[in-house]
Amino acid sequence: MSATVGAVRIAHTHQLTTAERDAIRGLLDLAFDGDFGDEDWDHCLGGVHALLYDADDVPVAHGSVIMRRVVHRGRSYRVGYVEAVAVRAQERRRGFGDRIMETLEGVIDRAYDFGALSASDAGAALYRSRGWTLWQGRIETAGPDGLVPLPEEEDSTFVRIGGTSGGLVVPPDALLFDWRDGDVI
């Protein structure tokens, strides 16, 4: 049976109750088939969450956007980085992912220089359909031991140009992401 959902709820991490955070984590664990670890969870916190709930106040869909620093052509940009976009398995293909992304894109466009995300094979079609572009340049990070190339991310990193940068970011130069534990991108 399909869920009836209302409006997208927007909340900063600090506005979520412990019960809400637990319910979101449960959704993410299920949606990613157990391949959503503690570091992945940590990556989606500290920013703005977009949520859809069913009539029983159980999360049906989630996504968050957090701030990251990305250096491109010698300039540091504030990037709205999309994390943990998920829809309950039995509710997929009903437009809930689009609603979550529309909300997150609004945050990105008003608050960040541009948007970025790393897409799974299953999720790439959603982002492409919404105008996100696969980055055609290199992907790197500034790790504790220096520059680290991330060639495995070059076929899954998408950007949304527009935000407050006015479209200044163009390939093929590298995007140099800030370092973080776990999956950097």
Side-chain angles (χ1 to χ4, degrees), residues 5-81:
V5 300
V8 176
R9 176 172 181 235
I10 301 171
H12 191 278
T13 299
H14 85 276
Q15 295 172 305
L16 299 172
T17 66
T18 300
E20 286 175 306
R21 287 192 307 273
D22 290 347
I24 294 165
R25 176 67 192 257
L27 167 68
L28 296 171
D29 287 339
L30 288 173
F32 288 99
D33 296 322
D35 190 26
F36 192 84
D38 291 341
E39 289 170 335
D40 300 315
W41 175 243
D42 185 60
H43 293 170
C44 80
L45 300 176
V48 175
H49 300 260
L51 298 149
L52 283 170
Y53 290 92
D54 66 15
D56 297 321
D57 286 330
V58 176
V60 172
H62 170 272
S64 65
V65 61
I66 59 148
M67 193 193 90
R68 305 238 2 228
R69 282 286 177 185
V70 174
V71 175
H72 177 69
R73 292 188 173 179
R75 177 177 170 202
S76 177
Y77 289 89
R78 284 178 311 99
V79 173
Y81 196 83

Side-chain angles (χ1 to χ4, degrees), residues 5-178:
V5 300
V8 176
R9 176 172 181 235
I10 301 171
H12 191 278
T13 299
H14 85 276
Q15 295 172 305
L16 299 172
T17 66
T18 300
E20 286 175 306
R21 287 192 307 273
D22 290 347
I24 294 165
R25 176 67 192 257
L27 167 68
L28 296 171
D29 287 339
L30 288 173
F32 288 99
D33 296 322
D35 190 26
F36 192 84
D38 291 341
E39 289 170 335
D40 300 315
W41 175 243
D42 185 60
H43 293 170
C44 80
L45 300 176
V48 175
H49 300 260
L51 298 149
L52 283 170
Y53 290 92
D54 66 15
D56 297 321
D57 286 330
V58 176
V60 172
H62 170 272
S64 65
V65 61
I66 59 148
M67 193 193 90
R68 305 238 2 228
R69 282 286 177 185
V70 174
V71 175
H72 177 69
R73 292 188 173 179
R75 177 177 170 202
S76 177
Y77 289 89
R78 284 178 311 99
V79 173
Y81 196 83
V82 175
E83 291 282 3
V85 174
V87 176
R88 193 185 309 161
Q90 63 270 30
E91 303 300 338
R92 292 179 183 153
R93 308 290 180 252
R94 295 191 55 218
F96 297 148
D98 269 322
R99 290 177 64 191
I100 293 296
M101 285 305 298
E102 179 179 24
T103 301
L104 297 178
E105 289 162 359
V107 172
I108 290 166
D109 291 349
R110 290 186 306 274
Y112 295 100
D113 294 322
F114 65 96
L117 59 82
S118 180
S120 66
D121 291 340
L126 170 65
Y127 308 121
R128 279 190 181 96
S129 75
R130 299 200 52 81
W132 288 73
T133 305
L134 183 65
W135 182 254
Q136 298 299 311
R138 295 180 325 278
I139 303 294
E140 301 171 338
T141 188
D145 297 322
L147 185 68
V148 179
L150 299 171
E152 67 280 2
E153 299 296 341
E154 292 173 2
D155 64 349
S156 63
T157 301
F158 285 76
V159 295
R160 176 181 174 86
I161 307 299
T164 59
S165 73
L168 297 176
V169 178
V170 294
D173 291 346
L175 292 180
L176 178 67
F177 282 83
D178 55 350

